[in-house]
Amino acid sequence: MDIRTADLCDQFSDELEICEPLFGDFGGQLQFGGPIATIKCFEDNSLVRELTAEAGNGRVLVIDAGGSMRRAVVGDMLAKKAVDNGWAGIVVYGCIRDSAAMADMPIGVKALGTHPLKTDKRGEGQRDLVVRFGGVTFRPGDWLYADEDGVIVARRPLVK
């Protein structure tokens, strides 16, 4: 999938929500897109582990980790699980770890930053709900597109 968010903004700006420029690129795939699946969690990645074990079918996992800069909710093992199960990408409003390993994986990963400490496993969090950060509302089933220029969201698919 050839994704150019600038071109999509030029063509579909009235249909898009454009995320504030918060994220760094950490995966080996800089351009990615697909239908959104969501998780809301705070310093607990139990649901991330569950959802990445499911068939991704080209979806993008959007994780609202509350913007935490104290723990990483995704590491190389969960990113590898997401690759193996067909996820197109992961966007984390929070931190990831094992960034060098992720850089070699064929998956898009955007996050606020890196942190070496893993999360707790308390079984807390919610999935498949509307989350909001970076000035954008992320709804399950909406379409996220990302590249080196940013993250945008549409209510329908824009790229084939």
Side-chain angles (χ1 to χ4, degrees), residues 7-85:
D7 292 343
L8 291 173
C9 284
D10 290 348
Q11 193 172 358
F12 301 105
S13 63
D14 292 344
E15 297 183 52
L16 299 174
E17 290 190 65
I18 303 163
C19 197
E20 296 166 0
L22 305 172
F23 300 102
D25 290 303
F26 297 99
Q29 184 72 38
L30 297 179
Q31 298 177 4
F32 61 97
I36 294 171
T38 63
I39 291 177
K40 185 176 182 78
C41 60
F42 186 75
E43 298 180 1
D44 180 340
N45 70 352
S46 302
L47 283 178
V48 178
R49 181 172 304 283
E50 286 179 23
L51 201 51
T52 55
E54 297 178 8
N57 299 316
R59 291 180 293 168
V60 176
L61 179 55
V62 175
I63 303 168
D64 180 353
S68 174
M69 302 299 284
R70 303 183 320 173
R71 303 229 179 192
V73 296
V74 178
D76 61 342
M77 293 184 340
L78 292 182
K80 174 77 167 76
K81 187 181 287 195
V83 169
D84 292 345
N85 289 312

Side-chain angles (χ1 to χ4, degrees), residues 112-135:
L112 297 180
T114 62
H115 198 288
L117 184 62
K118 67 181 179 179
T119 67
D120 291 328
K121 309 285 187 290
R122 299 180 305 270
E124 297 176 357
Q126 299 170 286
R127 63 181 277 185
D128 303 319
L129 70 158
V130 174
V131 297
R132 183 167 177 78
F133 55 83

